[in-house]
């Protein structure tokens, strides 16, 4: 789907006309209670500078976000799913060469902003993503190369007999293979980080854990305590002698996280579980859904169900999204753009009806109430623009609850201008069986 592709961009683009550079949201915003994102399995440790694909400017590897901003502001180029690129410097070098050989429009989708506005206020952005076969092949090759490097490193660690380290709990020293220390911690201290053969960058992993303990931090809940005795009692009484599997800081230390592009160990494991039980009857009796925790458009109020957040906005702020949807016959994508537009205007402390600016969000909300602008929208052409496909907050749960209007559900609308690209779901089992990664892993397993 076009929308799902856009949601995975590195940063939302919300610009307006000639004041674009002064009136842009280029940072990926998140609601504080739901910080999301994945641990970096792709960061380069050699400190190579990264050169822009469209000019000679280069940035330190640690300032990748600055490079992405540069490409958006100066070249109008957006790269989708940047976090899933295994070797970003090589990726950029590859496209730098290709962009000198052919026009950028041969590779990128073109997104026109403010498409129904004056020509002088229209801008074209270029989207480079793996919908392009050449880009997908490049990403897969970089991922395979990364996997080979990780497996080589793991094999070196498994064969290393010079390992020497003290236990972080009792200071007993271990020499030889790393497995002796890991097995000791699991048996004597009930602290297991997994099977030794599943771990890579073991020394760095242990350094990370020791640093947390030295700074009086619990390894599971990550609370900080005043001294080691209090920390030790806490970890024992609370049974916190384990790491937090939800902490994505640890993902890079487990080989399973490198096996498939863009998938965490939980996703890989869940696929394995489905394959084991695909012939059995589904039993959902123990299903427990995680709360949605949607955030109000006008304040920090959260609710675990969409009904509660809609009720809150209607009763507290006199804003009825359902009524707007019905009165304006909003299609699904129009609802998405409307929510993103309102979020963006409120973030900028600007009234979405009259465009008046305020110093604080509280002043703006009071203005909306006093003037009756809460349920008043500008002309539909003002907000029904392609740039509002981009979410203002990348973890905005309110967007996931939007639904088609009744008129849309009766049948397809042949006049719809929204492109929908079907995902390729052809014979997934054959694809898995013929995967290059499967062959690579089998070869590695046979060499042990």
């Amino acid at each position: 789907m076009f929308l799902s592709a856009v949601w995975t961009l590195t940063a939302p683009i919300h610009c307006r006309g000639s004041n674009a550079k002064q009136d842009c949201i280029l940072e990926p915003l998140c609601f504080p209670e739901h910080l999301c994102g994945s641990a970096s399995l792709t960061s380069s440790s050699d400190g190579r500078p990264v050169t822009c694909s469209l000019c000679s400017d280069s940035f330190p590897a640690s300032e990748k976000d600055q490079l992405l901003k540069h490409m958006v502001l100066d070249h109008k180029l957006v790269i989708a799913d940047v976090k899933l690129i295994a070797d970003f410097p090589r990726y950029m070098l590859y496209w730098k060469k290709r962009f000198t050989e052919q026009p950028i429009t041969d590779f990128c989708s073109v997104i026109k902003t403010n498409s129904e506005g004056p020509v002088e206020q229209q801008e074209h952005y270029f989207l480079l993503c793996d919908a392009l076969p050449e880009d997908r092949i490049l990403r897969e090759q970089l991922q395979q190369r990364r996997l080979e490097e990780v497996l080589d490193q793991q094999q070196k660690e498994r064969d290393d007999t010079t390992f020497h380290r003290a236990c972080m709990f009792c200071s007993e020293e271990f020499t030889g293979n790393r497995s002796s220390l890991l097995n000791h911690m699991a048996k004597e201290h009930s602290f297991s980080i997994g099977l030794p053969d599943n771990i890579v960058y073991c020394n760095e992993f242990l350094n990370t854990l020791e640093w947390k303990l030295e700074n009086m931090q619990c390894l599971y809940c990550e609370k900080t305590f005043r001294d080691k005795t209090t920390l030790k009692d806490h970890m024992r009484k609370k049974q916190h002698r384990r790491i937090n599997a939800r902490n994505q800081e640890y993902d890079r230390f487990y080989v399973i996280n490198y096996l498939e592009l863009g998938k965490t160990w939980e996703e890989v494991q869940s696929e394995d579980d489905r394959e084991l039980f695909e012939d059995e009857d589904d039993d959902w009796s123990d299903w427990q859904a995680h709360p949605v925790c949607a955030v109000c458009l006008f304040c920090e109020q959260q609710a675990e169900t969409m009904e509660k957040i809609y009720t809150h906005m209607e009763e507290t702020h006199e804003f009825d999204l359902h009524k707007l949807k019905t009165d304006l016959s909003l299609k699904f994508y129009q609802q998405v753009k409307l929510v993103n537009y309102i979020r963006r205007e409120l973030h900028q402390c600007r009234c979405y009806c009259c465009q008046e600016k305020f110093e604080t969000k509280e002043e703006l909300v009071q203005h909306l109430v006093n003037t009756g602008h809460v349920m008043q929208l500008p002309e539909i052409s003002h907000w029904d623009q392609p740039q509002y496909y981009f979410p203002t907050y990348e973890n905005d749960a309110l967007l996931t609850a939007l639904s088609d209007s009744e008129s849309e559900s009766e049948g397809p609308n042949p006049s719809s201008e929204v492109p929908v690209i079907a995902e390729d779901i052809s014979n997934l089992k054959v694809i898995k069986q013929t995967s290059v990664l499967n062959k690579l892993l089998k070869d590695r397993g046979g060499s042990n």
Side-chain angles (χ1 to χ4, degrees):
M1 299 277 292
F2 171 76
L3 180 62
S4 64
V6 170
W7 281 14
T8 54
L9 299 179
T10 180
I13 306 171
H14 301 290
C15 301
R16 178 173 296 169
S18 60
N19 297 323
K21 290 192 177 182
Q22 288 76 32
D23 190 18
C24 291
I25 300 176
L26 289 173
E27 297 291 346
L29 303 176
C30 276
F31 294 113
E33 292 77 7
H34 306 281
L35 290 177
C36 59
S38 58
S40 175
L41 303 178
T42 63
S43 58
S44 176
S45 60
D46 57 11
R48 286 175 292 166
V50 186
T51 303
C52 175
S53 294
L54 292 167
C55 69
S56 60
D57 289 359
S58 62
F59 296 77
S62 59
E63 297 181 7
K64 183 168 68 174
D65 287 346
Q66 296 301 317
L67 171 57
L68 297 175
K69 286 183 183 181
H70 159 76
M71 290 193 296
V72 172
L73 288 174
D74 294 352
H75 304 296
K76 304 295 187 293
L77 174 63
V78 180
I79 300 176
D81 296 319
V82 174
K83 293 180 180 179
L84 303 184
I85 300 175
D87 191 331
F88 188 63
R90 282 196 175 93
Y91 179 88
M92 295 294 290
L93 286 175
Y94 177 89
W95 283 115
K96 186 176 185 66
K97 179 176 181 296
R98 294 293 284 130
F99 289 154
T100 61
E101 297 171 348
Q102 293 177 235
I104 190 173
T105 50
D106 287 356
F107 307 106
C108 298
S109 302
V110 180
I111 302 174
K112 180 192 292 185
T113 64
N114 199 21
S115 57
E116 297 183 4
V119 175
E120 63 271 13
Q121 294 183 8
Q122 295 179 1
E123 293 184 292
H124 291 85
Y125 286 86
F126 304 98
L127 174 63
L128 180 61
C129 65
D130 61 2
L132 177 72
E134 183 176 353
D135 186 84
R136 168 162 280 281
I137 291 172
L138 172 61
R139 292 173 184 241
E140 290 175 348
Q141 289 175 343
L142 294 175
Q143 173 69 11
Q144 180 176 341
R145 181 190 181 109
R146 177 63 170 151
L147 177 58
E148 291 175 347
E149 293 173 352
V150 168
L151 292 176
D152 285 339
Q153 176 65 27
Q154 184 199 38
Q155 189 63 47
K156 290 178 182 177
E157 294 179 11
R158 292 169 66 180
D159 297 338
D160 182 21
T161 59
T162 63
F163 179 87
H164 181 269
R165 199 178 188 102
C167 173
M168 66 181 74
F169 297 108
C170 67
S171 299
E172 182 178 349
E173 295 190 355
F174 293 84
T175 303
N177 193 278
R178 60 182 184 163
S179 60
S180 58
L181 171 58
L182 300 182
N183 291 334
H184 161 81
M185 290 194 299
K187 181 178 180 181
E188 301 298 332
H189 304 289
S190 301
F191 180 80
S192 175
I193 57 176
L195 296 175
D197 286 347
N198 294 336
I199 294 172
V200 66
Y201 307 119
C202 185
N203 272 321
E204 186 177 344
F205 194 2
L206 295 174
N207 287 340
T208 300
L209 299 177
E210 286 185 0
W211 182 90
K212 290 179 180 290
L213 291 177
E214 289 172 0
N215 286 272
M216 314 304 172
Q217 189 177 43
C218 174
L219 298 178
Y220 182 73
C221 68
E222 299 180 342
K223 292 180 180 179
T224 303
F225 296 86
R226 63 178 181 272
D227 54 53
K228 287 188 177 181
T229 302
T230 307
L231 171 60
K232 181 178 178 181
D233 290 342
H234 163 82
M235 294 180 65
R236 176 176 56 83
K237 292 177 181 178
K238 296 291 186 178
Q239 296 183 346
H240 283 186
R241 286 191 173 183
R242 62 189 189 278
I243 64 173
N244 187 351
R246 299 289 181 181
N247 186 340
Q248 296 172 339
E249 177 185 4
Y250 302 126
D251 285 356
R252 66 184 304 269
F253 301 120
Y254 292 90
V255 175
I256 192 172
N257 289 305
Y258 298 92
L259 297 185
E260 293 193 52
L261 185 65
K263 292 185 179 179
T264 65
W265 65 270
E266 291 175 304
E267 293 170 315
V268 175
Q269 186 64 52
S270 65
E271 287 186 354
D272 293 340
D273 292 342
R274 285 198 299 269
E275 291 177 358
L276 288 173
F277 300 105
E278 61 182 1
D279 295 328
E280 297 184 8
D281 294 333
D282 293 332
D283 181 10
W284 299 87
S285 59
D286 61 346
W287 172 261
Q288 293 183 350
H290 294 287
V292 175
C293 289
V295 181
C296 173
L297 287 170
F298 305 95
C299 67
E300 307 303 319
Q301 178 67 31
Q302 298 188 23
E304 294 182 356
T305 66
M306 302 314 301
E307 290 76 12
K308 289 181 180 180
I309 204 66
Y310 284 137
T311 301
H312 161 79
M313 290 193 292
E314 186 174 353
E315 294 179 351
T316 306
H317 306 290
E318 300 179 358
F319 180 82
D320 190 343
L321 184 59
H322 290 307
K323 186 175 187 302
L324 288 176
K325 167 186 168 183
T326 302
D327 292 349
L328 300 177
S329 299
L330 297 181
K331 303 172 185 177
F332 172 75
Y333 287 99
Q334 289 178 312
Q335 296 174 59
V336 169
K337 288 186 278 191
L338 176 59
V339 169
N340 289 332
Y341 169 73
I342 293 176
R343 289 275 196 212
R344 185 252 184 170
E345 295 298 283
L346 287 170
H347 177 78
Q348 303 278 47
C349 295
R350 179 169 50 225
C351 176
Y352 52 79
C353 176
C354 66
Q355 302 301 301
E356 183 177 350
K357 287 274 290 183
F358 296 87
E359 292 295 326
T360 65
K361 186 176 179 180
E362 290 73 19
E363 293 179 5
L364 168 59
V365 172
Q366 189 62 46
H367 161 81
L368 290 169
V369 174
N370 294 340
T371 58
H373 286 180
V374 175
M375 288 291 289
Q376 294 183 24
L377 300 176
E379 292 294 327
I380 191 170
S381 59
H382 186 78
W383 54 264
D384 190 7
Q385 296 291 332
Q387 62 260 39
Y388 296 114
Y389 282 124
F390 297 84
T392 302
Y393 294 88
E394 61 182 7
N395 57 341
D396 192 351
L398 188 60
L399 295 173
T400 66
L402 301 177
S403 60
D404 293 339
S405 63
E406 293 179 1
S407 60
E408 274 189 298
S409 62
E410 294 174 358
N413 184 356
S415 64
S416 174
E417 297 179 355
V418 178
V420 178
I421 305 173
E423 296 179 348
D424 183 7
I425 55 172
S426 59
N427 208 332
L428 295 177
K429 188 167 290 186
V430 173
I431 293 176
K432 287 184 177 182
Q433 291 173 350
T434 58
S435 170
V436 175
L437 296 182
N438 283 337
K439 181 178 184 303
L440 180 63
L441 290 173
K442 288 179 181 179
D443 293 342
R444 296 281 174 176
S447 64
N448 291 336

